[in-house]
Amino acid sequence: GIQVEQSPPDLILQEGANSTLRCNFSDSVNNLQWFHQNPWGQLINLFYIPSGTKQNGRLSATTVATERYSLLYISSSQTTDSGVYFCAVGGGGTGNQFYFGTGTSLTVIP
Amino acid sequence: DSGVTQTPKHLITATGQRVTLRCSPRSGDLSVYWYQQSLDQGLQFLIQYYNGEERAKGNILERFSAQQFPDLHSELNLSSLELGDSALYFCASSPGVGRGYTFGSGTRLTVV
Protein backbone atom coordinates (compact mmCIF):
# COMPACT_ATOMS: atom_id res chain seq x y z
CA GLY A 1 0.00 0.00 0.00
CA ILE A 2 0.83 3.66 -0.05
CA GLN A 3 3.13 5.01 2.66
CA VAL A 4 1.91 8.20 4.32
CA GLU A 5 4.29 10.18 6.50
CA GLN A 6 3.21 13.10 8.62
CA SER A 7 5.38 15.64 10.33
CA PRO A 8 5.94 16.75 12.95
CA PRO A 9 4.64 13.89 15.11
CA ASP A 10 4.00 16.22 18.03
CA LEU A 11 3.50 19.96 18.26
CA ILE A 12 2.90 22.26 21.20
CA LEU A 13 1.77 25.80 20.47
CA GLN A 14 0.88 28.87 22.44
CA GLU A 15 -2.63 30.08 21.74
CA GLY A 16 -2.56 32.51 18.82
CA ALA A 17 0.44 30.95 17.08
CA ASN A 18 0.46 29.62 13.53
CA SER A 19 1.56 26.17 12.38
CA THR A 20 2.11 24.06 9.29
CA LEU A 21 1.55 20.31 9.23
CA ARG A 22 2.97 18.24 6.40
CA CYS A 23 1.86 15.01 4.73
CA ASN A 24 4.10 13.14 2.28
CA PHE A 25 2.86 10.14 0.34
CA SER A 26 4.71 7.54 -1.66
CA ASP A 27 2.58 7.15 -4.79
CA SER A 28 0.18 9.00 -7.01
CA VAL A 29 -3.30 9.37 -5.55
CA ASN A 30 -6.67 10.69 -6.64
CA ASN A 31 -7.97 11.50 -3.20
CA LEU A 32 -6.60 13.18 -0.11
CA GLN A 33 -8.36 14.24 3.05
CA TRP A 34 -7.34 15.94 6.27
CA PHE A 35 -9.11 14.92 9.47
CA HIS A 36 -9.05 16.24 13.01
CA GLN A 37 -9.55 13.76 15.82
CA ASN A 38 -10.69 15.68 18.85
CA PRO A 39 -9.95 14.64 22.46
CA TRP A 40 -13.28 12.79 22.53
CA GLY A 41 -12.17 10.56 19.65
CA GLN A 42 -14.40 11.99 16.93
CA LEU A 43 -12.89 12.17 13.43
CA ILE A 44 -13.90 15.41 11.78
CA ASN A 45 -13.39 15.95 8.07
CA LEU A 46 -11.46 19.18 7.51
CA PHE A 47 -10.69 19.15 3.81
CA TYR A 48 -11.17 16.92 0.82
CA ILE A 49 -8.27 18.17 -1.27
CA PRO A 50 -6.77 15.90 -3.93
CA SER A 51 -5.10 18.96 -5.47
CA GLY A 52 -4.99 22.72 -5.20
CA THR A 53 -5.69 24.98 -2.26
CA LYS A 54 -8.73 25.37 -0.02
CA GLN A 55 -9.50 27.59 2.93
CA ASN A 56 -12.02 27.33 5.72
CA GLY A 57 -11.77 30.05 8.32
CA ARG A 58 -8.46 29.79 10.14
CA LEU A 59 -7.56 26.56 8.37
CA SER A 60 -6.25 26.12 4.87
CA ALA A 61 -4.71 23.25 2.94
CA THR A 62 -2.61 22.84 -0.17
CA THR A 63 -1.93 19.64 -2.06
CA VAL A 64 0.75 19.37 -4.72
CA ALA A 65 -0.13 15.99 -6.17
CA THR A 66 2.74 15.92 -8.67
CA GLU A 67 5.22 16.28 -5.81
CA ARG A 68 3.26 13.98 -3.49
CA TYR A 69 2.72 16.21 -0.50
CA SER A 70 0.04 18.19 1.23
CA LEU A 71 0.21 20.95 3.83
CA LEU A 72 -2.31 21.96 6.46
CA TYR A 73 -2.03 25.48 7.83
CA ILE A 74 -3.54 26.49 11.14
CA SER A 75 -3.51 30.18 11.90
CA SER A 76 -4.25 31.95 15.21
CA SER A 77 -4.52 28.59 16.96
CA GLN A 78 -7.07 28.08 19.72
CA THR A 79 -7.22 25.50 22.51
CA THR A 80 -10.09 23.81 20.66
CA ASP A 81 -7.65 23.01 17.84
CA SER A 82 -5.94 20.47 20.11
CA GLY A 83 -6.11 16.86 19.03
CA VAL A 84 -4.59 14.68 16.35
CA TYR A 85 -4.53 15.67 12.69
CA PHE A 86 -4.56 12.84 10.17
CA CYS A 87 -3.83 12.89 6.48
CA ALA A 88 -5.46 10.11 4.44
CA VAL A 89 -4.83 9.29 0.80
CA GLY A 90 -6.57 7.00 -1.63
CA GLY A 91 -7.52 6.34 -5.18
CA GLY A 92 -5.11 5.97 -8.06
CA GLY A 93 -3.74 2.47 -7.92
CA THR A 94 -4.65 1.92 -4.28
CA GLY A 95 -8.03 0.39 -4.76
CA ASN A 96 -10.88 1.53 -2.63
CA GLN A 97 -9.36 2.22 0.73
CA PHE A 98 -7.77 5.29 2.22
CA TYR A 99 -4.35 4.99 3.82
CA PHE A 100 -3.83 7.03 6.96
CA GLY A 101 -0.70 8.61 8.28
CA THR A 102 0.23 8.25 11.93
CA GLY A 103 -0.93 11.75 12.65
CA THR A 104 0.36 14.97 14.19
CA SER A 105 -0.61 15.44 17.82
CA LEU A 106 -1.27 19.14 18.45
CA THR A 107 -1.57 20.69 21.89
CA VAL A 108 -2.52 24.36 22.11
CA ILE A 109 -1.87 25.89 25.50
CA PRO A 110 -3.55 29.08 26.74
CA ASP B 1 -23.73 15.33 13.44
CA SER B 2 -21.84 13.89 10.48
CA GLY B 3 -24.83 11.94 9.20
CA VAL B 4 -23.10 8.59 9.75
CA THR B 5 -24.66 6.83 12.74
CA GLN B 6 -22.86 4.17 14.74
CA THR B 7 -24.30 2.16 17.59
CA PRO B 8 -23.57 1.43 20.31
CA LYS B 9 -21.17 4.19 21.36
CA HIS B 10 -19.61 2.10 24.10
CA LEU B 11 -19.45 -1.64 24.61
CA ILE B 12 -17.83 -3.64 27.38
CA THR B 13 -17.73 -7.39 27.02
CA ALA B 14 -15.77 -10.41 28.19
CA THR B 15 -13.17 -12.41 26.32
CA GLY B 16 -14.63 -15.11 24.12
CA GLN B 17 -17.87 -13.25 23.52
CA ARG B 18 -19.39 -12.04 20.24
CA VAL B 19 -20.60 -8.51 19.50
CA THR B 20 -22.23 -6.70 16.59
CA LEU B 21 -21.50 -3.11 15.71
CA ARG B 22 -23.94 -1.22 13.52
CA CYS B 23 -23.46 1.61 11.04
CA SER B 24 -25.97 3.65 9.06
CA PRO B 25 -24.30 5.65 6.27
CA ARG B 26 -25.15 9.19 5.21
CA SER B 27 -28.23 9.41 3.06
CA GLY B 28 -27.29 8.64 -0.53
CA ASP B 29 -23.87 7.17 0.26
CA LEU B 30 -23.38 3.71 -1.21
CA SER B 31 -19.94 2.88 0.17
CA VAL B 32 -19.33 1.86 3.77
CA TYR B 33 -15.87 1.37 5.25
CA TRP B 34 -14.85 -0.09 8.60
CA TYR B 35 -11.70 0.95 10.42
CA GLN B 36 -10.12 -0.12 13.68
CA GLN B 37 -8.12 2.33 15.77
CA SER B 38 -6.03 0.90 18.57
CA LEU B 39 -3.35 2.69 20.55
CA ASP B 40 -0.42 0.89 18.97
CA GLN B 41 -1.73 0.35 15.42
CA GLY B 42 -3.26 3.64 14.36
CA LEU B 43 -6.17 3.60 11.94
CA GLN B 44 -6.35 0.25 10.18
CA PHE B 45 -8.67 -0.44 7.27
CA LEU B 46 -10.80 -3.54 7.80
CA ILE B 47 -13.30 -3.87 4.98
CA GLN B 48 -15.38 -1.94 2.44
CA TYR B 49 -18.83 -2.54 0.99
CA TYR B 50 -20.39 -0.83 -1.98
CA ASN B 51 -24.12 -1.13 -2.54
CA GLY B 52 -24.29 -4.44 -0.73
CA GLU B 53 -21.20 -6.06 -2.17
CA GLU B 54 -17.79 -6.49 -0.59
CA ARG B 55 -15.28 -4.39 -2.54
CA ALA B 56 -12.06 -4.41 -0.59
CA LYS B 57 -10.57 -6.21 2.37
CA GLY B 58 -7.81 -4.98 4.61
CA ASN B 59 -6.33 -6.34 7.79
CA ILE B 60 -9.50 -8.00 8.96
CA LEU B 61 -9.16 -11.05 11.18
CA GLU B 62 -11.00 -14.26 10.33
CA ARG B 63 -12.89 -13.87 13.61
CA PHE B 64 -14.41 -10.67 12.21
CA SER B 65 -17.02 -10.45 9.50
CA ALA B 66 -19.23 -7.76 8.04
CA GLN B 67 -22.13 -7.27 5.71
CA GLN B 68 -24.13 -4.48 4.11
CA PHE B 69 -27.87 -4.85 3.93
CA PRO B 70 -30.29 -3.74 1.18
CA ASP B 71 -31.10 -0.55 3.12
CA LEU B 72 -27.33 0.13 3.03
CA HIS B 73 -26.71 -0.10 6.74
CA SER B 74 -23.77 -2.28 7.69
CA GLU B 75 -22.88 -4.51 10.60
CA LEU B 76 -19.46 -5.60 11.80
CA ASN B 77 -19.45 -8.86 13.75
CA LEU B 78 -16.58 -9.58 16.10
CA SER B 79 -16.39 -13.06 17.63
CA SER B 80 -14.17 -14.97 20.07
CA LEU B 81 -13.09 -11.62 21.39
CA GLU B 82 -9.63 -11.17 22.84
CA LEU B 83 -8.19 -8.45 25.02
CA GLY B 84 -6.29 -7.11 22.01
CA ASP B 85 -9.53 -6.43 20.17
CA SER B 86 -10.19 -3.52 22.49
CA ALA B 87 -10.21 -0.46 20.23
CA LEU B 88 -12.26 2.26 18.63
CA TYR B 89 -14.16 0.95 15.63
CA PHE B 90 -15.12 3.53 13.05
CA CYS B 91 -17.49 3.36 10.16
CA ALA B 92 -17.19 5.81 7.28
CA SER B 93 -19.34 6.33 4.23
CA SER B 94 -18.81 7.94 0.87
CA PRO B 95 -20.93 8.56 -2.21
CA GLY B 96 -18.86 6.20 -4.33
CA VAL B 97 -15.67 4.30 -4.72
CA GLY B 98 -12.60 6.35 -3.95
CA ARG B 99 -14.55 9.46 -2.98
CA GLY B 100 -14.15 11.49 0.22
CA TYR B 101 -15.08 9.91 3.54
CA THR B 102 -17.36 10.98 6.34
CA PHE B 103 -16.80 9.18 9.62
CA GLY B 104 -19.24 8.19 12.31
CA SER B 105 -18.48 8.88 15.95
CA GLY B 106 -17.18 5.36 16.52
CA THR B 107 -17.84 2.48 18.89
CA ARG B 108 -15.44 2.11 21.77
CA LEU B 109 -15.08 -1.61 22.49
CA THR B 110 -13.48 -2.78 25.70
CA VAL B 111 -12.82 -6.48 26.15
CA VAL B 112 -12.22 -7.52 29.75
Side-chain angles (χ1 to χ4, degrees), chain B residues 25-43:
Chain B
R26 282 189 324 171
S27 177
D29 284 358
L30 299 178
S31 276
V32 169
Y33 305 79
W34 286 97
Y35 280 81
Q36 179 193 56
Q37 186 181 33
S38 54
L39 281 175
D40 57 346
Q41 293 289 326
L43 275 154

Side-chain angles (χ1 to χ4, degrees), chain A residues 12-14 21 30-31 46 52 54 56 60 63 74-75 78 80 82-84 87 89 93 102 109:
Chain A
I12 300 175
L13 296 176
Q14 199 78 36
L21 281 56
N30 293 339
N31 297 288
L46 298 176
K54 289 186 178 179
N56 184 4
S60 64
T63 298
I74 304 173
S75 64
Q78 300 175 357
T80 52
S82 296
V84 182
C87 168
V89 301
T102 51
I109 54 177

Side-chain angles (χ1 to χ4, degrees), chain A residues 5-93:
Chain A
E5 292 182 357
Q6 291 187 242
S7 59
D10 299 283
L11 190 56
I12 300 175
L13 296 176
Q14 199 78 36
E15 200 168 24
N18 303 328
S19 62
T20 301
L21 281 56
R22 186 176 179 101
C23 170
N24 293 330
F25 43 96
S26 62
D27 205 346
S28 61
V29 296
N30 293 339
N31 297 288
L32 189 145
Q33 277 185 271
W34 283 97
F35 294 93
H36 174 220
Q37 187 166 35
N38 63 25
W40 296 270
Q42 292 179 308
L43 278 163
I44 311 298
N45 178 33
L46 298 176
F47 293 102
Y48 175 72
I49 185 165
S51 64
T53 297
K54 289 186 178 179
Q55 180 155 8
N56 184 4
R58 297 180 295 103
L59 302 181
S60 64
T62 294
T63 298
V64 184
T66 52
E67 298 187 21
R68 301 179 185 170
Y69 74 89
S70 182
L71 302 173
L72 178 69
Y73 306 96
I74 304 173
S75 64
S76 304
S77 57
Q78 300 175 357
T79 56
T80 52
D81 295 330
S82 296
V84 182
Y85 290 79
F86 288 101
C87 168
V89 301

Side-chain angles (χ1 to χ4, degrees), chain B residues 2-111:
Chain B
S2 69
V4 180
T5 304
Q6 287 190 249
T7 57
K9 293 193 184 308
H10 302 276
L11 198 51
I12 301 175
T13 189
T15 54
Q17 294 299 304
R18 181 179 189 274
V19 298
T20 297
L21 313 183
R22 183 187 168 101
C23 169
S24 294
R26 282 189 324 171
S27 177
D29 284 358
L30 299 178
S31 276
V32 169
Y33 305 79
W34 286 97
Y35 280 81
Q36 179 193 56
Q37 186 181 33
S38 54
L39 281 175
D40 57 346
Q41 293 289 326
L43 275 154
Q44 299 289 314
F45 169 69
L46 296 178
I47 197 164
Q48 181 220 354
Y49 283 84
Y50 177 79
N51 203 20
E53 294 185 1
E54 182 185 305
R55 279 297 182 94
K57 224 172 200 179
N59 301 319
I60 188 166
L61 300 173
E62 286 191 8
R63 300 183 286 110
F64 297 179
S65 64
Q67 56 183 324
Q68 186 179 29
F69 294 86
D71 67 352
L72 300 179
H73 91 270
S74 178
E75 293 181 356
L76 178 67
N77 300 297
L78 314 176
S79 61
S80 303
L81 285 167
E82 302 174 358
L83 295 177
D85 297 327
S86 296
L88 260 173
Y89 290 84
F90 286 103
C91 166
S93 73
S94 71
V97 172
R99 301 276 297 278
Y101 280 13
T102 299
F103 277 91
S105 57
T107 294
R108 188 175 296 276
L109 173 67
T110 303
V111 182

